[in-house]
Each structure stands twice: as C-alpha cells, then as structure tokens.
Amino acid sequence: EAGVTQFPSHSVIEKGQTVTLRCDPISGHDNLYWYRRVMGKEIKFLLHFVKESKQDESGMPNNRFLAERTGGTYSTLKVQPAELEDSGVYFCASSQEYSYNEQFFGPGTRLTVL
Amino acid sequence: QQQVKQSPQSLIVQKGGISIINCAYENTAFDYFPWYQQFPGKGPALLIAIRPDVSEKKEGRFTISFNKSAKQFSLHIMDSQPGDSATYFCAARVLNTGTASKLTFGTGTRLQVTL
C-alpha cells in the first residue's frame, strides 16, 4: 500500500511569490493534517481536514495560507505571498476515522523563501 | 507557549549504550503520548506510544517511562545501535474526544550512535 506522498520535495522561491504544496493521503484515510517544522523547532500543527471539511484550522499562521481538500482526496496548501518566515519543512499526515488511529506522515516538502 | 518540552536537543551515545530522551508536558488533558522516529529525507514514523494509565511500556529495545504526577515521560533506547541514529520527537494528543485530533510535538532530539 502506498504511503502519504507530497509534492514537491523541495521548493525554493523568492519572497512575494506563490507556492502550492500538494499532499496525497493514504487511500481511504478521511483525516488529513498539515504540520510545519521551522528549523530546530517543534513540528507545529497547521490544520486538520475530515474528508473535505476543515475540522480544525487553529494552527494556520495567517491569511496568506490557504488549504483545500476538494473531493476529500488530495490536499493543497498555498502560500501567497510567501515571506521569509514561511521557510521550513511542511509535513502532511493522514489517518483513518477514529481518534486512536495512527497518523502516517509523508516525507515533507522543504520550502525555502529567499 | 510550548506545550511539550523535550531535551536534550542532541545526544551522542556509543554503540551498546543507553539513550535517554526526556519530555515534559503542560496540558493535563493529554492522554496519549507517542514517540516518533525520523530518518533524513523521511517523515516521522510512530515508534512507540503510551497511555497515562500505565507507567511503562516496552517494545523490544525501546521503553517509555511515564510519570503522570510530574507530567513527564521519557524514551529509553537500550543497546543503542548505529541504525538508531535519527531524530526523535515526543508528542502528545488528546485521544478521548472520539474524533481524530492533532499531535503536539516536542522540539526533537538528534541522536547519533557511534561505533
């Protein structure tokens, strides 16, 4: 069974540009999470989808970040316009329905904003 | 405010030695405490987890010790091997909501096991 996949693996953009990250969860996983790790710090929660609905977006830093999950399958996270402090590794995770189900993480997208 | 504090930031252990990583949490609503292992270029992967109704859980060379009153938990890696070299994250989660919920992570510990 394929794991969580993320695209691209790396992205280098200039301040003010737009970047879109994509996450494909494990097939059948209704729950999809986005997390971010800024260098040397903790992995921080951004938001949580249940199917196509945003269950919890309390971790989204500001309105420059837009997450979507159309059709309840893959998800995109758009940063527009990107700022220097947005640099970090963005992880996506997915899990089955219930709270006790394990979250499976993708390999992450390393975003560098110059 | 960081809800889960992890130490040390980095750790060097000789092969065969014991690696110990410590975490402390603030939120008493947390009721699930997993440890994740991350290798370079990969995402974090669940290693071992504990619920607060037990004080210790062991899986092979990996043991979690949990102290509810002190709000602390730790990972012990016995007989550490070079293949254990990775970044380890402690985490916490509120599990009893019935619905899936977010993980709150520590800052990570980079473990290097030398020959």
Side-chain angles (χ1 to χ4, degrees):
Chain A
E1 179 183 299
V4 177
T5 57
Q6 292 186 247
F7 183 84
S9 57
H10 293 85
S11 180
V12 180
I13 61 172
E14 293 194 350
K15 176 183 172 180
Q17 289 187 320
T18 297
V19 64
T20 300
L21 313 182
R22 173 171 169 145
C23 168
D24 285 79
I26 294 172
S27 177
H29 282 193
D30 288 340
N31 293 288
L32 187 149
Y33 308 81
W34 284 98
Y35 294 87
R36 175 175 73 174
R37 189 184 190 208
V38 172
M39 184 181 294
K41 298 200 172 181
E42 72 271 30
I43 300 173
K44 268 194 168 179
F45 168 80
L46 297 178
L47 89 157
H48 168 206
F49 283 100
V50 178
K51 297 183 180 178
E52 66 274 10
S53 299
K54 292 176 185 174
Q55 178 79 10
D56 180 357
E57 52 184 328
S58 61
M60 294 289 264
N62 50 61
N63 59 12
R64 295 185 294 103
F65 289 75
L66 175 64
E68 295 181 325
R69 191 181 183 197
T70 307
T73 55
Y74 71 91
S75 175
T76 58
L77 180 64
K78 180 190 287 189
V79 185
Q80 179 182 29
E83 298 289 344
L84 299 179
E85 64 265 25
D86 301 332
S87 296
V89 181
Y90 289 76
F91 292 105
C92 175
S94 72
S95 72
Q96 291 182 310
E97 182 178 355
Y98 297 108
S99 60
Y100 50 80
N101 291 129
E102 179 184 347
Q103 292 185 23
F104 293 88
F105 282 77
T109 293
R110 181 174 295 277
L111 175 63
T112 302
V113 183
L114 302 175
Chain B
Q1 182 186 5
Q2 195 176 333
Q3 290 199 51
V4 179
K5 295 183 179 179
Q6 182 172 348
S7 64
Q9 188 173 14
S10 63
L11 183 60
I12 300 175
V13 173
Q14 279 198 324
K15 179 182 174 182
I18 303 173
S19 304
I20 302 174
I21 305 170
N22 300 299
C23 284
Y25 63 97
E26 303 277 336
N27 186 354
T28 54
F30 289 142
D31 59 357
Y32 177 72
F33 301 89
W35 284 88
Y36 284 80
Q37 180 187 55
Q38 184 188 17
F39 293 105
K42 305 288 186 181
L46 180 64
L47 181 64
I48 186 172
I50 197 168
R51 298 291 303 269
D53 51 345
V54 296
S55 60
E56 187 176 280
K57 183 173 181 180
K58 184 175 180 179
E59 289 184 3
R61 296 183 294 108
F62 301 91
T63 300
I64 301 178
S65 297
F66 186 83
N67 185 329
K68 189 174 181 178
S69 61
K71 293 189 287 185
Q72 295 176 346
F73 58 111
S74 60
L75 176 69
H76 292 62
I77 306 174
M78 311 300 288
D79 186 26
S80 298
Q81 299 296 313
D84 297 330
S85 298
T87 299
Y88 292 81
F89 294 93
C90 62
R93 190 173 168 194
V94 178
L95 204 63
N96 63 6
T97 62
T99 58
S101 59
K102 65 186 178 187
L103 288 157
T104 300
F105 284 91
T107 49
T109 297
R110 180 175 286 188
L111 171 65
Q112 182 182 354
V113 181
T114 60
L115 293 171

